[in-house]
């Protein structure tokens, strides 16, 4: 394990455009469950996965009914109360790598906002954010509290409408079957094509199209792909990644940063 941590630190120091790709495993140490790990929401409740697949269709068919249903449910969803969750040492390690000028961007599948909360500046939320809303027509994003949704419910004005184009507003979080917003999809693809190092943290790498990004990067020879994950993934088995450092991101990422600093001294 120690030699892999040193190897990752050397690879990071020698890179000129490193990007991090992150998933739900990054936030389990902040008390947010993942979906497919041993304690994952869907591992324990496969029925919840089936329901999740129907969300986008329900919204598109009846956005007013969808909003009414959301407002009738408890505020804390499948992942608990995300507003109260705090970043962990893994998130802060990625902030340090950005501040050291090594990490150029974080592409995350997470909707919990913890990378930004930790202090990373260049974050792309591939699956959106629980704290934002988005217009399905023009793609503009808004803070969740920019709309008084309860008032719209009482005044029978649901669904909320975009102040710019009058399009229907939904939560920013991307549903299964919903296209990835074009701005983040394009930027992420550009980063996958440009990077010379990809640090993949806490993802099972089975949710597409995000999971295609490492495969796109792998098509170029001059790229190093490192996984930090609790267990091997399809990227490990098919050798898309050069090596896996198996363990917790909250433990391993800070150790990599310590090695990077030693090399830089
Ligand atoms: P996943 O649940 O499919 O896989 C998580 C992976 O991380 C697993 O391989 C697991 O073994 C590993 N893992 C768990 N804890 C870890 C730790 N501390 N250190 C290292 N590895 C750890 O997650 P995914 O690949 O991100 O796909 C799930 C989808 O669901 C994503 O698209 C995401 O949008 C969404 N989701 C988001 C959150 C969040 O925002 N925090 C949480 C759950 C699910």
């Amino acid at each position: 394990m120690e030699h892999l941590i040193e190897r990752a630190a050397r690879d990071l120091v020698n890179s000129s455009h490193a990007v991090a790709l992150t998933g739900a495993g990054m936030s389990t140490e902040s008390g947010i469950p993942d979906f497919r790990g041993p304690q994952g929401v869907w591992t324990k409740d496969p029925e919840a996965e089936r329901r999740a697949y129907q969300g986008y269709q329900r919204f598109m068919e009846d956005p007013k009914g969808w909003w009414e249903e959301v407002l009738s449910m408890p505020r804390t969803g499948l992942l608990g109360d995300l507003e109260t969750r705090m970043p962990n040492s893994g998130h802060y390690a990625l902030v340090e790598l950005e501040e050291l000028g090594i990490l150029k961007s974080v592409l995350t599948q997470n909707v919990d906002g913890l990378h930004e909360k930790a202090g990373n500046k260049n974050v792309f939320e591939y699956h959106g954010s629980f704290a934002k809303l988005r217009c399905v027509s023009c793609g503009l994003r808004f803070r969740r509290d920019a709309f008084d949704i309860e008032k719209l419910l009482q005044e029978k004005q649901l669904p909320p409408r975009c102040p710019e184009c009058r399009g229907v507003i939904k939560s920013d979080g991307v549903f299964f079957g919903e296209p990835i917003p074009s701005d983040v999809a394009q930027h992420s693809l550009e980063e996958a094509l440009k990077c010379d190092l990809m640090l993949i943290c806490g993802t099972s790498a089975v949710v597409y199209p995000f999971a295609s990004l490492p495969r796109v990067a792998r098509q170029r020879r001059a790229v190093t792909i490192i996984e930090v994950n609790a267990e091997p993934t399809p990227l490990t088995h098919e050798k898309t990644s050069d090596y896996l450092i198996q363990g917790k991101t909250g433990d391993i990422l800070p150790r990599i940063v310590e090695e990077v600093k030693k090399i830089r001294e």
Side-chain angles (χ1 to χ4, degrees), residues 23-25 28-29 35-36 109 111-112 127 203-204 229-231 249:
T28 54
E29 290 162 86
F35 278 169
R36 297 181 190 78
Q109 296 172 92
V111 296
D112 55 32
H127 291 159
T203 173
S204 60
N229 209 65
E231 56 189 348
T249 48

Side-chain angles (χ1 to χ4, degrees), residues 104-123:
K104 301 298 190 269
S105 61
V106 178
L107 315 177
T108 187
Q109 296 172 92
N110 295 343
V111 296
D112 55 32
L114 291 185
H115 289 297
E116 278 185 2
K117 214 182 224 181
N120 273 115
K121 299 281 181 280
N122 209 20
V123 180

Side-chain angles (χ1 to χ4, degrees), residues 22-29 32-38 42 79 82 109-113 127 176 201-207 228-233 247-250:
T22 71
M26 192 76 213
S27 297
T28 54
E29 290 162 86
I32 303 170
D34 61 9
F35 278 169
R36 297 181 190 78
W42 291 344
L79 301 178
L82 293 179
Q109 296 172 92
N110 295 343
V111 296
D112 55 32
H127 291 159
F176 284 95
C201 310
T203 173
S204 60
V206 297
V207 178
V228 179
N229 209 65
E231 56 189 348
T233 74
K248 293 188 170 185
T249 48

Side-chain angles (χ1 to χ4, degrees), residues 192-213:
L193 290 168
K194 187 155 76 173
C195 70
D196 60 356
L197 188 143
M198 203 174 247
L199 183 61
I200 304 177
C201 310
T203 173
S204 60
V206 297
V207 178
Y208 281 83
F210 190 86
S212 66
L213 297 172

